[in-house]
Amino acid sequence: MSYLFNTPEDQRAMLESIGVGSIDELFAQLVPDEARLHRELEIPPAMSELELTAQMQSLAAKNTACSSRPCFLGGGAYDHFIPAAVDALASRGEFFTSYTPYQPEVSQGNLTVTFEYQTFITRLTGMDVANASLYDGATAATEAALMCLEATGRRGRVVVAGSVHPEYRQTLQTYLACLGVELVTVGALDGTVSAAEVAAACNDQTACVLVQQPNFFGCLEDVEAIGMAAHEAGAMFVVSVDPISLGILKKPSEYGADIVTAEGQSLGNPLHYGGPYLGIIACKSEFVRRMPGRIAGQTVDRRGKRCWVLTLQTREQHIRREKATSNICTNQGLFALRATIYLSLLGPHGLRETAELCARKSHYARSLLSTGTRFSSAFAAPTFKEFVVRDNAGAVEQLLADAEQEGYFAGIALGRWYPELADCFLVCVTEKRTRAEIEGLASVLTSSPAGLTAELANHHA
Amino acid sequence: MRNTRALSPIFELSAPGRRGATLPASDVPYAALDDILPADARAHALPDLPEVAEPDVVRHYTCISQLNMSVDTHFYPLGSCTMKYNPKRNERLASLPGLLDLHPYQSETSHQGMLQLLFELQQMLAEIAGLHVVSLQPAAGAHGELAALMTAAAYFRDRGENRTKVLAPDSAHGTNPASAAVAGFDAVTVRSTPEGYVDLDDLKSKLDDQFAVFMITNPSTLGMFEKNIRPIADMVHAAGGLLYLDGANMNAILGISRPGDFGADMMHYNPHKTFSGPHGGGGPGAGPIAVREMLGPYLPAPLVAFDGVRYRLDYDRPKSIGRVRSFFGNVGVLVRAYCYIRTYGAKGLREVSENAVLNANYLLSKVKHIFPVPQGERCMHEFVATASKIKAERGVSAMDIAKRLLDYGFHAPTVYFPSTVKESMMMEPTETESKETLDAFANALFRITEESPDLLHEAPHSTGVSRPDEVKAARQPQTSWPKA
Ligand SMILES: Cc1ncc(COP(=O)(O)O)c(C=O)c1O
């Protein structure tokens, strides 16, 4: 086998040094017979690299890659531009085959990256401290809520906007249910939540209010007013953001966020069918000791030389065990690295231009998809890179399937999460989409016969 | 030879006007920004990021990468972490556009190949575990522990039982009690014997009617196969509880012993350890969980289902705990695990464990003369040696030895975990190391014991930076670069 070393010769010498006759005898001394498997595993036989390559290629060939056609899918996972240098640098073995920097003297590369990453995140969000990463956007938002329970000592309720990503809310629900904390969802009938309804949902046991900006529908929330409502109720204000949007939108610190979380996939990370992604979390300095996960800090070595090290570790599970701020150990370091390289390459102008292109192109797409009679914009609120389209013929599933036949990943049906939006779908337009693709999408969707009777279809044509 | 300029944090390389990426001009009809995004929602200033050219970025990250030790460059016997070789073919294959460029919400018809892969992985992981139903959703080992404990809680709730305690041995990884707490249980510690086995009397005394789950790591963090595993499973089940297996150490028993067969009801895998997913400087991992049939309905949804013709995501699981994260799972890690298992096949996986255990025992046979191994003469995939003798005699600590090993070109073992052994050094060589490497490592350990304590206290000497001042870092935390 290609990854093993021991020749029969080696094995003989090693067994001799150990003082056993055979590997079988070694296992017999270690594993009680009643716990042994006395047959071979039922797993397909070994494959050479060539055979494995053929197998993986055949599996891959049964999939349609988003990169092979115009992709207008978003919903928390985005098809953004990834510069080649991100792949080239992040695939260096010194980065991706190392682990948590337990030995800082031989991990200064990873620690420098983590420190740079934390700096980028604090600068984009306006927060004071960021950690080294969490699993994804959903668990980041959830960990933020758990921080708020501790920080406020209020363990009764968490208030969440219905316009937060449905899977983030489901994750939050799963965790809070274990702790007996109530999750109250504020409806977003017009695509956004009202600050007055948020205020009404808060009681004196509410730990925090969680909103997403831009929200799951792409709409901008009135974050200033919601933040004020949260604080007036004595609750903390947690905002989940799209990091690309921070190239053009206000920093969450400017509208009162106490903790900011995000899905960092859009920062130079591939789609990979939903993971691994990058959970971003950053907070005001007063909450740093409740932060989950690893944090890198600057210090000096014995010779006074600047260096970096994992710090504030008394928050973590390997020291505090059941009293730790979180159970996280392995994080998403490789994707924090990719985000750091991505942001270094883009710089202030590149990130601004990316955000602006998303806004301009999706605005154009939104206007094309709300002019005719078939489609309308579901919500009036301003949107960033995603928007919700209502199909007045009410045939979303068929419409999207037809568009796929025509070579477009046109959008995401919303009915599975929002029954009242069963006639709606979410369209995402990133900087990668061209005018021709956008117009192609509009024409494919507008000319679709889905849901129309023959007569109506003729009328439309 | 070091390029000191390129090693500076990226902020020191910034100069106004430079950039590392250009975007195309907008090709859609012009609209005023004010008509797209209201002015009061927009930022007043550009994002505060450094301005660097692409060659600077490449040189900076290339140069700092060289400050890391890694599996590609060094022997990395970090116990409990299974730092084995990460096959290059897996990287190439996981990056095929037909696997990499898939959106989590694209239609099921457009990714039947991915669903097939994940379905087959569910089946293979169930077979290796000797368990029945697998959820691939959790994002890491700790996340798998948490998801499984939530699953157990839902199971007991459904049966109308109110069980509040989760037990784990004192030698357990910190994530075990931490996961218990996040899942809303009270974490209770069970003592281990000096040899690293579960103290059966102590366990028995804690199996009351509040007891829900016993989390056992087998092979243990001391690298011992729990000799009483069957009686333990029987005790746990007789008390109406569940046995959870922390599968971080599966690398020792692939095809040799199956958790389901020795009585575990649920377990997580660490595919980033056992199945060679690269550790990425801290992550990603994945934490698939396998459970017995009766627990299957409570697992996080969706699972991948197959009706003989088509693969689909099965969300129709009314008793499911729900989601523990967004989207399907850490698919990139799972694809690599699939490649790894298919590469080895059944016989090969067994050889992996045989050679992992052989290498560890060989290293133990070389090290025990230098540092005592309290657990004895034998181990599974790893063992824990102690520096307490040399500490008492010459003041040299496990930390000193770990640091000095770096000078010899070896990553250090895991030190000071588990805390049940004083001055512990946990060594896990893995199967992807040669006898020559193990000899050289043992030789370095021996030479270190002959070196002067003063030299060792100051180690490492050759790494560019010496020991960081951790107290200063914690007292005045500086966790980001100061603003200009
Ligand atoms: C024994 C043991 N259990 C659990 C874990 C947690 O796994 P992860 O780091 O993937 O969350 C680890 C690894 O760090 C471990 O060694």
Side-chain angles (χ1 to χ4, degrees):
Chain A
M1 193 61 62
S2 330
Y3 319 138
L4 299 178
F5 284 87
N6 298 335
T7 63
E9 216 70 341
D10 290 331
Q11 292 192 344
R12 247 192 311 279
M14 293 165 85
L15 288 165
E16 194 172 314
S17 172
I18 298 166
V20 285
S22 68
I23 292 180
D24 266 351
E25 196 185 320
L26 182 58
F27 275 98
Q29 293 177 4
L30 287 159
V31 182
D33 191 61
E34 58 188 10
R36 291 286 294 268
L37 179 69
H38 294 289
R39 63 162 173 86
E40 205 166 85
L41 288 171
E42 285 172 21
I43 281 183
M47 281 181 165
S48 65
E49 182 168 352
L50 272 176
E51 292 164 307
L52 180 70
T53 303
Q55 165 72 5
M56 298 307 284
Q57 280 169 340
S58 89
L59 288 170
K62 295 181 201 168
N63 303 322
T64 308
C66 290
S67 47
S68 69
R69 52 173 56 195
C71 174
F72 292 92
L73 307 176
Y78 300 107
D79 181 29
H80 285 291
F81 165 59
I82 303 178
V86 176
D87 289 328
L89 294 168
S91 62
R92 289 189 64 88
E94 297 93 327
F95 282 131
F96 86 85
T97 72
S98 59
Y99 199 21
T100 308
Y102 296 118
Q103 299 293 336
E105 299 86 348
V106 291
S107 311
Q108 284 300 305
N110 287 335
L111 285 161
T112 307
V113 169
T114 303
F115 184 76
E116 292 175 351
Y117 165 80
Q118 290 170 184
T119 305
F120 287 174
I121 298 304
T122 53
R123 290 187 181 185
L124 290 178
T125 57
M127 295 288 105
D128 301 314
V129 201
N131 85 353
S133 67
L134 294 172
Y135 303 137
D136 70 344
T139 54
T142 301
E143 292 270 14
L146 300 184
M147 280 174 76
C148 296
L149 298 178
E150 294 298 323
T152 60
R154 294 171 159 202
R155 317 191 114 265
R157 181 179 285 187
V158 166
V159 171
V160 65
S163 49
V164 168
H165 195 302
E167 295 190 354
Y168 295 13
R169 287 186 286 117
Q170 289 164 1
T171 303
L172 192 57
Q173 173 63 43
T174 307
Y175 277 67
L176 292 182
C178 295
L179 304 175
V181 177
E182 181 188 16
L183 181 65
V184 172
T185 306
V186 178
L189 287 181
D190 301 327
T192 57
V193 291
S194 95
E197 285 183 40
V198 167
C202 291
N203 62 9
D204 65 358
Q205 279 308 305
T206 301
C208 65
V209 171
L210 167 65
V211 299
Q212 190 175 341
Q213 176 79 337
N215 69 23
F216 182 67
F217 305 125
C219 300
L220 299 190
E221 299 276 4
D222 186 356
V223 273
E224 226 135 321
I226 299 168
M228 250 145 56
H231 287 150
E232 260 163 46
M236 287 169 66
F237 185 38
V238 181
V239 186
S240 170
V241 297
D242 171 358
I244 296 288
S245 77
L246 298 178
I248 195 162
L249 296 181
K250 270 188 180 164
K251 292 182 197 148
S253 59
E254 294 177 65
Y255 48 81
D258 297 300
I259 306 179
V260 180
T261 65
E263 173 51 76
Q265 177 270 333
S266 42
L267 303 175
N269 294 308
L271 283 166
H272 231 327
Y273 194 55
Y277 285 177
L278 170 62
I280 294 174
I281 190 165
C283 67
K284 292 187 180 163
S285 53
E286 61 205 272
F287 306 116
V288 62
R289 282 173 204 274
R290 302 194 188 278
M291 188 77 120
R294 320 262 185 225
I295 299 177
Q298 186 168 313
T299 186
V300 292
D301 75 355
R302 289 192 173 173
R303 292 169 222 132
K305 186 172 172 186
R306 177 175 73 190
C307 64
W308 291 274
V309 69
L310 291 179
T311 193
L312 303 173
Q313 294 193 68
T314 48
R315 300 164 297 108
E316 292 192 63
Q317 46 75 29
H318 60 284
I319 297 182
R320 296 276 283 165
R321 301 178 78 83
E322 68 273 12
K323 297 200 179 61
T325 54
S326 164
N327 66 332
I328 191 169
C329 177
T330 293
N331 59 21
Q332 304 287 120
L334 188 65
F335 303 95
L337 166 70
R338 293 181 66 101
T340 307
I341 299 169
Y342 174 85
L343 288 170
S344 300
L345 287 165
L346 262 72
H349 297 281
L351 187 62
R352 165 61 60 86
E353 286 162 15
T354 300
E356 218 177 288
L357 284 169
C358 290
R360 289 186 181 286
K361 291 184 181 221
S362 79
H363 182 73
Y364 179 55
R366 184 176 168 182
S367 66
L368 288 186
L369 286 172
S370 51
T371 37
T373 49
R374 167 110 198 215
F375 299 111
S376 53
S377 229
F379 306 122
T383 51
F384 171 55
K385 73 184 182 198
E386 288 170 280
F387 56 93
V388 176
V389 179
R390 174 163 282 126
D391 174 15
N392 295 317
V396 170
E397 301 285 347
Q398 191 55 46
L399 180 76
L400 297 178
D402 287 354
E404 195 175 311
Q405 287 295 313
E406 299 289 324
Y408 287 82
F409 283 129
I412 303 169
L414 291 178
R416 69 165 125 165
W417 298 297
Y418 299 93
E420 70 280 14
L421 299 179
D423 57 350
C424 292
F425 57 101
L426 183 68
V427 176
C428 174
V429 188
T430 69
E431 77 284 4
K432 282 175 75 175
R433 300 286 74 83
T434 63
R435 177 172 182 169
E437 289 172 343
I438 295 168
E439 290 171 355
L441 172 78
S443 115
V444 160
L445 290 177
T446 320
S447 60
S448 164
L452 304 183
T453 61
E455 191 191 335
L456 266 175
N458 278 334
H459 174 76
H460 262 265
Chain B
M1 201 192 101
R2 279 210 164 135
N3 179 345
T4 45
R5 181 180 141 71
L7 292 174
S8 307
I10 193 96
F11 312 99
E12 287 183 348
L13 304 175
S14 174
R18 294 206 181 120
R19 56 188 300 165
T22 346
L23 279 301
S26 173
D27 59 354
V28 297
Y30 179 80
L33 261 190
D34 282 344
D35 294 336
I36 302 175
L37 293 167
D40 66 356
R42 298 209 309 273
H44 311 299
L46 283 172
D48 185 6
L49 296 170
E51 297 177 66
V52 283
E54 179 171 328
D56 248 351
V57 173
V58 170
R59 199 166 279 163
H60 170 64
Y61 290 103
T62 303
C63 285
I64 64 171
S65 79
Q66 294 168 340
L67 305 179
N68 287 343
M69 274 191 176
S70 67
V71 175
D72 273 5
T73 54
H74 293 85
F75 179 46
Y76 210 126
L78 188 68
S80 206
C81 298
T82 315
M83 302 300 289
K84 63 168 72 178
Y85 173 66
N86 306 127
K88 299 301 170 194
R89 70 190 67 163
N90 298 358
E91 295 307 308
R92 177 196 273 179
L93 297 173
S95 301
L96 291 171
L99 298 174
L100 187 71
D101 298 336
L102 298 183
H103 191 282
Y105 294 143
Q106 68 184 72
S107 64
E108 281 176 8
T109 45
S110 70
H111 65 284
Q112 284 290 303
M114 175 57 88
L115 291 174
Q116 180 185 338
L117 182 158
L118 296 169
F119 180 79
E120 289 176 10
L121 184 62
Q122 284 176 186
Q123 287 187 306
M124 295 190 295
L125 293 180
E127 164 68 7
I128 295 169
L131 290 165
H132 310 116
V133 197
V134 171
S135 162
L136 300 173
Q137 193 174 104
H143 205 218
E145 294 167 16
L146 176 62
L149 291 176
M150 289 170 163
T151 299
Y155 165 78
F156 286 123
R157 204 177 311 120
D158 203 27
R159 290 163 57 95
E161 296 180 47
N162 181 28
R163 293 175 175 264
T164 54
K165 287 187 199 163
V166 165
L167 277 45
D170 48 13
S171 61
H173 196 261
T175 52
N176 288 192
S179 297
V182 178
F185 287 101
D186 298 325
V188 178
T189 304
V190 176
R191 268 199 306 274
S192 349
T193 66
E195 303 79 41
Y197 299 114
V198 173
D199 182 328
L200 294 187
D201 292 332
D202 194 46
L203 174 64
K204 193 174 286 168
S205 73
K206 288 167 180 160
L207 297 178
D208 54 18
D209 57 1
Q210 298 291 295
F211 155 67
V213 179
F214 180 40
M215 302 178 83
I216 192 167
T217 309
N218 187 33
S220 69
T221 55
L222 277 89
M224 294 309 286
F225 194 94
E226 177 57 61
K227 60 181 179 193
N228 297 313
I229 189 69
R230 283 274 14 158
I232 288 172
D234 292 343
M235 281 163 65
V236 162
H237 292 144
L242 297 171
L243 185 65
Y244 180 86
L245 178 89
D246 179 330
N249 298 333
M250 284 300 286
N251 208 44
I253 57 170
L254 299 170
I256 289 166
S257 178
R258 303 196 307 168
D261 295 343
F262 62 63
D265 302 297
M266 47 201 334
M267 69 169 288
H268 79 261
Y269 286 94
N270 295 70
H272 44 307
K273 303 178 181 185
T274 313
F275 303 127
S276 80
H279 283 73
I289 49 180
V291 302
R292 236 177 251 297
E293 200 76 61
M294 83 260 190
L295 295 163
Y298 308 93
L299 284 175
L303 309 184
V304 184
F306 181 51
D307 62 10
V309 182
R310 291 176 41 78
Y311 298 89
R312 65 185 173 82
L313 293 174
D314 178 12
Y315 284 96
D316 185 18
R317 307 184 65 80
K319 293 190 169 184
S320 164
I321 58 166
R323 287 193 157 273
V324 292
R325 55 162 299 158
S326 57
F327 310 124
F328 184 82
N330 277 3
V331 176
V333 181
L334 300 172
V335 171
R336 287 166 177 81
Y338 179 88
C339 289
Y340 184 85
I341 296 172
R342 295 302 307 264
T343 296
Y344 274 109
K347 274 204 185 63
L349 286 182
R350 199 188 151 98
E351 278 174 47
V352 165
S353 290
E354 288 177 348
N355 283 286
V357 171
L358 180 67
N359 277 4
N361 279 280
Y362 178 67
L363 187 60
L364 190 159
S365 76
K366 295 273 160 185
V367 166
K368 69 182 179 194
H369 313 294
I370 314 168
F371 297 106
V373 179
Q375 73 206 59
E377 297 276 307
R378 296 284 179 267
C379 66
M380 295 294 284
H381 63 298
E382 68 189 1
F383 62 91
V384 178
T386 171
S388 44
K389 192 153 152 275
I390 189 169
K391 171 97 192 205
E393 290 169 5
R394 302 175 57 210
V396 172
S397 66
M399 184 62 81
D400 294 335
I401 294 157
K403 297 300 182 194
R404 185 62 178 151
L405 276 168
L406 307 176
D407 285 330
Y408 281 87
F410 298 108
H411 195 280
T414 297
V415 287
Y416 301 103
F417 171 75
S419 57
T420 48
V421 176
K422 292 223 159 54
E423 297 295 321
S424 65
M425 299 183 288
M426 182 196 244
M427 306 185 189
E428 180 179 15
T430 85
E431 73 283 3
T432 60
E433 297 295 340
S434 66
K435 179 170 170 294
E436 295 90 312
T437 298
L438 304 182
D439 287 338
F441 179 73
N443 198 30
L445 281 174
F446 179 71
R447 283 172 58 189
I448 289 170
T449 60
E450 309 236 289
E451 290 181 323
S452 98
D454 286 343
L455 180 88
L456 300 178
H457 298 324
E458 288 303 314
H461 300 272
S462 62
T463 49
V465 302
S466 60
R467 291 187 210 185
D469 184 344
E470 299 195 8
V471 176
K472 174 179 153 64
R475 195 178 304 133
Q476 318 146 351
Q478 189 191 331
T479 59
S480 59
W481 189 254
K483 289 211 168 71

